[in-house]
Amino acid sequence: MTIRALAPTRLARFSRSRDNACFLRRGYDMKPSSSKPISLIQFLIEERRAGHINAELSLLIEVVARACKRIAVATNKGALGGVLGMEVGKDNGDGSDGASINVQGEAQKKLDVISNEILLEANAWGGHLAACASEEMEDPQQIPDGYPKGNHLLLFDPLDGSSNIDVNISVGTIFSVLRCPDDVTEPKAEHFLQPGTTQLAAGYVVYGPATTLVLTFGHGTHEFTLEREVGSFMLSRRGIRIPEEATEFAINMSNQRHWQAPMQRYIGELLAGTTGPRGKDFNMRWVASMVADVHRIVTRGGVFYYPLDAKILKQGGKLRLMYEANPMAFIIEQAGGAATTGRERIMALQPTGLHQRVPVFLGSKKEVEVATHYHLVADGAQN
């Protein structure tokens, strides 16, 4: 059997058609230059020209995005990179080492520590930050002496959903940007305690089959996908809108017996489906990684709930206001959704502590409003 080589012209045509198909699969338009895909840097320049952000904030987002690309590389290596498993902490006293514990009282994964270090290192010297705060650290991190300081405060959860790392389920990074108060040269924890309504920017990065950045500056919510071959985040969806109504909900059903009565009522109605008062069927999804669950909502609608329950009553909730609830609320609201604690708007809360916890209800507006209404009605009946 004779195998005839492709002629150069045919090979070139094949190569071009294959490349075009690859770009089309990624959602890129192969039209002339006016509709070329837009990189994150180009998008930030557009936002600066529109007066939505300044040069310093633009640089800050570039640095955070670059750090997240490094985290994506580390997560993609998995077991081959030696990044799975628990971070080793103090000696247990019997010759064995115990797990490292963070300020939240949680055992740290190796990638928790690696991701935190990557973000701290990347933001230390650029001159765009006054200080930063991490979910993994008790106190804010000051910019080292000798480096210029900027006018922004950065808060981040370096690796949300890290309990899923070893089983290869999507994890992510969440971040929020605030303005440093005037005349403050050494920001302390109290200077970070600003309501979510004062956020200048918020975003998250999902490390999954694709690495995806979702970002808002208060002028809509936008999605960027990492083009691995060129190493750039490319705009894949502009002006995302979340449907007002939903048929999917995300909640940890294992806590059902601990929920308060209005949450029991609400979820009971969803589970009743077409035979219940809602008159339609709902599907439940639960990844146990907030970034992954929220990204599903940003992609196709739905709601995410982590309500107050008897187990976490003293803590005030499960999720951190400054590192998770506020940035996610900003992103969701800018996409047309809603975000509450079950009783009040998340972004209207005045923070009382850097690691304060709150209940979180967010996603499709009408469903969040129904669940919130049930809680307010129950509170009124008790008063």
Side-chain angles (χ1 to χ4, degrees), residues 10-219:
R10 291 179 62 193
L11 183 59
R13 285 198 301 271
F14 171 75
S15 178
R16 284 196 298 271
S17 65
R18 183 182 62 183
D19 290 344
N20 289 353
C22 181
F23 269 76
L24 289 172
R25 282 197 301 272
R26 292 174 183 143
Y28 295 161
D29 194 341
M30 294 303 295
K31 292 177 182 178
S33 58
S34 60
S35 48
K36 282 183 178 179
I38 297 173
S39 70
L40 174 61
I41 292 176
Q42 289 173 296
F43 178 84
L44 294 174
I45 292 172
E46 287 181 1
E47 292 294 286
R48 286 170 58 185
R49 288 173 177 167
H52 296 162
I53 61 174
N54 60 26
E56 189 176 281
L57 180 54
S58 176
L59 175 60
L60 171 54
I61 298 302
E62 285 183 50
V63 171
V64 170
R66 191 159 55 243
C68 289
K69 284 188 270 187
R70 290 180 58 193
I71 296 171
V73 170
T75 58
N76 287 339
K77 287 181 179 179
L80 300 180
V83 296
L84 302 184
M86 307 302 296
E87 178 71 4
V88 175
K90 297 179 180 179
D91 190 301
N92 287 328
D94 58 1
S96 65
D97 292 325
S100 175
I101 305 297
N102 67 9
V103 65
Q104 313 291 343
E106 301 165 339
Q108 291 180 306
K109 296 282 189 175
K110 290 179 182 178
L111 265 174
D112 281 321
V113 176
I114 292 170
S115 301
N116 193 60
E117 290 175 349
I118 287 173
L119 282 160
L120 290 176
E121 178 187 336
N123 285 283
W125 55 272
H128 48 272
L129 276 186
C132 57
S134 167
E135 184 184 285
E136 299 295 325
M137 305 187 306
E138 184 173 0
D139 299 310
Q141 176 81 16
Q142 300 295 326
I143 301 303
D145 293 338
Y147 289 135
K149 294 183 180 180
N151 299 309
H152 294 94
L153 303 174
L154 175 67
L155 302 100
F156 54 81
D157 178 353
L159 203 66
D160 176 74
S162 57
S163 62
N164 287 321
I165 292 169
D166 294 349
V167 292
N168 202 22
I169 292 176
S170 296
V171 294
T173 297
I174 310 171
F175 62 90
S176 170
V177 182
L178 302 168
R179 181 170 298 282
C180 183
D182 294 338
D183 302 323
V184 174
T185 57
E186 296 290 335
K188 302 293 190 296
E190 59 265 27
H191 300 122
F192 286 80
L193 302 184
Q194 304 177 33
T197 51
T198 66
Q199 291 176 102
L200 302 177
Y204 65 78
V205 176
V206 185
Y207 311 114
T211 298
T212 306
L213 164 67
V214 174
L215 178 66
T216 185
F217 294 115
H219 301 276

Side-chain angles (χ1 to χ4, degrees), residues 185-366:
T185 57
E186 296 290 335
K188 302 293 190 296
E190 59 265 27
H191 300 122
F192 286 80
L193 302 184
Q194 304 177 33
T197 51
T198 66
Q199 291 176 102
L200 302 177
Y204 65 78
V205 176
V206 185
Y207 311 114
T211 298
T212 306
L213 164 67
V214 174
L215 178 66
T216 185
F217 294 115
H219 301 276
T221 295
H222 316 287
E223 178 194 85
F224 302 81
T225 302
L226 181 62
E227 173 56 87
R228 298 180 190 277
E229 286 80 0
V230 296
S232 296
F233 279 105
M234 310 301 292
L235 182 65
S236 45
R237 286 194 295 161
R238 185 193 289 268
I240 295 168
R241 302 303 293 174
I242 297 172
E244 287 194 350
E245 297 188 359
T247 56
E248 284 187 337
F249 66 99
I251 194 166
N252 186 349
M253 288 294 293
S254 69
N255 291 325
Q256 183 175 12
R257 67 191 185 279
H258 303 293
W259 294 340
Q260 296 176 332
M263 201 69 212
Q264 298 276 7
R265 174 191 174 189
Y266 173 76
I267 295 298
E269 291 182 359
L270 302 191
L271 296 176
T274 55
T275 63
R278 305 303 297 278
K280 63 180 179 180
D281 290 328
F282 288 78
N283 289 325
M284 194 191 85
R285 301 284 186 265
W286 182 250
V287 182
S289 168
M290 187 186 190
V291 163
D293 280 314
V294 169
H295 191 62
R296 183 181 58 254
I297 292 167
V298 167
T299 301
R300 67 189 193 200
V303 282
F304 170 93
Y305 299 115
Y306 214 118
L308 191 64
D309 64 46
K311 289 198 308 180
I312 56 176
L313 189 61
K314 291 182 179 179
Q315 297 177 357
K318 174 67 174 179
L319 301 174
R320 289 78 175 179
L321 174 62
M322 305 300 293
Y323 305 105
E324 297 164 318
N326 267 342
M328 289 303 200
F330 194 16
I331 290 165
I332 292 294
E333 286 194 7
Q334 284 298 310
T340 77
T341 64
R343 291 171 169 86
E344 56 188 319
R345 184 186 178 204
I346 286 174
M347 292 209 300
L349 294 174
Q350 174 58 51
T352 58
L354 200 54
H355 299 281
Q356 178 182 352
R357 298 177 188 246
V358 294
V360 173
F361 294 34
L362 60 76
S364 294
K365 190 172 184 179
K366 289 187 177 179

